[in-house]
Amino acid sequence: MNGRFWARHAWTGGARAGAPGPGTPGAGVSGSGGSDPLESGVLIEVAEGRIASLRAGGDPGDAVVLDGLVLPGLANAHSHAFHRALRGETQVGGGTFWTWRETMYRAASALDPDTYLDLATAVYAEMALTGITCVGEFHYLHHAPGGTPYADPNVMGEALVEAAARAGIRITLLDTCYLSSGFGAPPDATQARFSDGTAHAWAERAEALAVALDKHPHAVAGAAVHSVRAVPADQLAVVAAWAESRHAPIHAHLSEQPAENEGCVEAYGVTPTRLLADHGVLGPRATAVHATHLTGDDIALLGGSATTVCMCPTTERDLADGIGPAKDLQRAGSRLTLGSDSHAVIDLFEEARGMELDERLRTRRRGHWSADELLRAATGDGHASLGWSGAGRIEVGAVADLVTVSLDSVRTATPRPRPETAVFAATAADVRDVVVGGRLVVRHGAHQLVPDVPAALRRAIGRIGASS
């Protein structure tokens, strides 16, 4: 896509407007730009979906005006699209992660390719409205209920890829290996549809899907280990080898619950982090999701291997998981990213400030990350963890993803625009415009491809409820 956009204020993360050539990915959430990360009156010219030039201090002319604080596109690094159907349902009453999981399994059992396409399209459209231009979909609903493969064994994954296209965003489909109900035990009746039987069978199916995704410029194929509970130790290396052969991102739920740690030590004599490290899962293309309950050695393993860690504060609060050691992980060498996971809310600004505010509660100190650093976690570093290293930055050569945050709402009205306004005051409701690869997907708060997103969500979730 080609076009011209004029940003009244643009957060460049320190990359000066007019800088020649494509930039390099940020060094991580701990990095900081050496120049002012906010510029005014920035003309952004787009050619073939990428930023061709940046010029600050001019007038808009005939360009599309983005009137507010313009950020790079946000990356939702961890999503389970079907969990959106649970919003407002699982908050009734009490319980734990494990009781929540039973409700989640009932929703999973009700989905088929048609209902999943409808639901995911609406969910991804909701994401676009909140400024998310790329999603990492942690996908394990592979087969029909009972475990029988569909005639097209990848039809559920293909539905997610099509849903992202209809919603106008990019997707990294993290095809998830899920073989066991817990440390080698066979899958239960609900989990049967998640399983390919063996990691080799998973890899064969995942490769067929990856070949198909190569034809879709808005999609990247990745891999995931659901957890050390769900993938036996002797199968982990197969998943890691497939990801290595494709130079693909690989993600894994890690130590979300103390019970997972206890079960892993009982089964294998080591922590989940050590188990993943010993079988080749960790590394620069790997992302550990949650990483809530870690030992000091675990933190050193993750940081030392340059494994990214995805924090999901709103879900971790909602499920009473706990507060992970995000700052310690970053100090050890892990890049940090953000995800909305179960979609209790979809708001990357809330996730960003949640990471900082949770750390304040954990340490009883303020100011662990700057607003620039938190925005980098939500943008460039999130995209990199999903295999889109050329996205998430406003600089020449980067993918032309732009998000306008209004500066005239009751939350954001201020005489001095600054990144802190987005991180510590704005909500998803303040997003006004969203450009994905040079294409205007959201304009003045209205989705341009899905006319009525709330109605689409109501219909899709209603269809699931009627069939469950």
Side-chain angles (χ1 to χ4, degrees):
M1 299 290 290
N2 301 327
R4 290 158 52 87
F5 301 90
W6 185 83
R8 189 170 298 280
H9 306 284
W11 182 80
T12 61
R16 302 299 296 178
T24 56
V29 74
S30 60
S32 60
S35 56
D36 187 352
L38 200 64
E39 300 196 44
S40 298
V42 179
L43 181 65
I44 305 166
E45 295 187 307
V46 176
E48 297 183 356
R50 291 184 176 270
I51 297 174
S53 69
L54 294 171
R55 293 196 297 274
D59 294 323
D62 62 353
V64 175
V65 174
L66 305 177
D67 197 2
L69 173 59
V70 177
L71 308 173
L74 307 178
N76 189 349
H78 188 66
S79 163
H80 302 286
F82 76 93
H83 288 191
R84 174 61 179 84
L86 305 177
R87 187 184 297 174
E89 299 292 331
T90 56
Q91 284 76 23
V92 177
T96 65
F97 168 87
W98 304 103
T99 54
W100 168 88
R101 190 176 73 160
E102 294 307 311
T103 305
M104 181 268 287
Y105 279 172
R106 288 195 292 274
S109 298
L111 287 162
D112 60 32
D114 289 337
T115 55
Y116 209 9
L117 174 60
D118 286 349
L119 177 61
T121 298
V123 174
Y124 295 158
E126 179 183 357
M127 290 186 191
L129 288 173
T130 72
I132 291 165
T133 59
C134 184
V135 61
E137 184 62 36
F138 201 100
H139 166 58
Y140 55 84
L141 265 64
H142 301 308
H143 307 299
T148 301
Y150 291 102
D152 174 356
N154 280 311
V155 67
M156 293 291 273
E158 290 162 357
L160 292 165
V161 173
E162 174 62 20
R166 293 185 182 188
I169 68 172
R170 286 175 285 109
I171 185 171
T172 295
L173 191 68
L174 298 161
D175 196 292
T176 303
C177 188
Y178 194 131
L179 306 173
S180 169
S181 64
F183 301 104
D188 65 22
T190 300
Q191 296 163 340
R193 74 179 307 188
F194 309 161
S195 177
D196 291 294
T198 68
H200 287 290
W202 166 84
E204 182 177 353
R205 184 188 50 72
E207 178 64 17
L209 180 59
V211 169
L213 263 57
D214 286 341
K215 302 173 185 176
H216 295 281
H218 77 291
V220 162
V225 170
H226 179 274
S227 60
V228 297
R229 290 181 287 109
V231 181
D234 61 1
Q235 307 282 295
L236 290 169
V238 176
V239 185
W242 182 87
E244 179 66 26
S245 72
R246 276 241 159 211
H247 303 288
I250 180 170
H251 290 215
H253 291 134
L254 179 66
S255 293
E256 185 176 3
Q257 294 291 323
E260 176 183 309
N261 293 351
E262 295 160 5
C264 190
V265 170
E266 182 178 349
Y268 303 118
V270 295
T271 66
T273 302
R274 170 54 70 182
L275 192 71
L276 295 181
D278 288 348
H279 290 83
V281 176
L282 302 185
R285 283 184 289 98
T287 296
V289 181
H290 302 303
T292 307
H293 303 282
L294 302 177
T295 67
D297 287 344
D298 293 339
I299 292 169
L301 278 171
L302 290 164
S305 61
T307 297
T308 295
V309 175
C310 180
M311 310 302 289
C312 306
T314 63
T315 292
E316 289 148 7
R317 291 180 207 154
D318 185 55
L319 300 184
D321 286 342
I323 299 172
K327 191 64 181 180
D328 293 341
L329 285 159
Q330 179 241 307
R331 287 194 189 102
S334 288
R335 181 170 52 192
L336 300 176
T337 63
L338 300 163
S340 64
D341 191 1
S342 69
H343 313 314
V345 298
I346 297 178
D347 187 337
L348 263 287
F349 303 115
E350 178 62 24
E351 304 294 347
R353 67 174 157 264
M355 186 165 71
E356 165 68 24
L357 298 180
D358 284 355
E359 188 72 10
R360 293 181 186 186
L361 290 174
R362 192 173 76 90
T363 64
R364 290 176 290 175
R365 288 193 305 106
R366 302 176 74 237
H368 299 277
W369 294 280
S370 70
D372 290 333
E373 291 168 339
L374 292 168
L375 283 175
R376 199 166 296 120
T379 57
D381 289 343
H383 279 95
S385 77
L386 297 176
W388 298 90
S389 60
R393 303 183 303 281
I394 299 178
E395 62 184 46
V396 173
V399 175
D401 289 359
L402 307 168
V403 174
T404 306
V405 177
S406 168
L407 293 175
D408 58 8
S409 79
V410 293
R411 292 168 294 277
T412 61
T414 175
R416 183 185 174 192
R418 54 190 307 164
E420 285 77 6
T421 303
V423 174
F424 292 103
T427 72
D430 294 308
V431 171
R432 305 307 300 155
D433 307 303
V434 178
V435 177
V436 184
R439 180 190 196 185
L440 198 57
V441 173
V442 175
R443 184 61 167 161
H444 302 315
H447 202 291
Q448 303 299 287
L449 306 176
V450 182
D452 189 339
V453 177
L457 285 163
R458 284 193 297 271
R459 284 194 302 269
I461 295 169
R463 289 183 69 190
I464 296 168
S467 61
S468 62

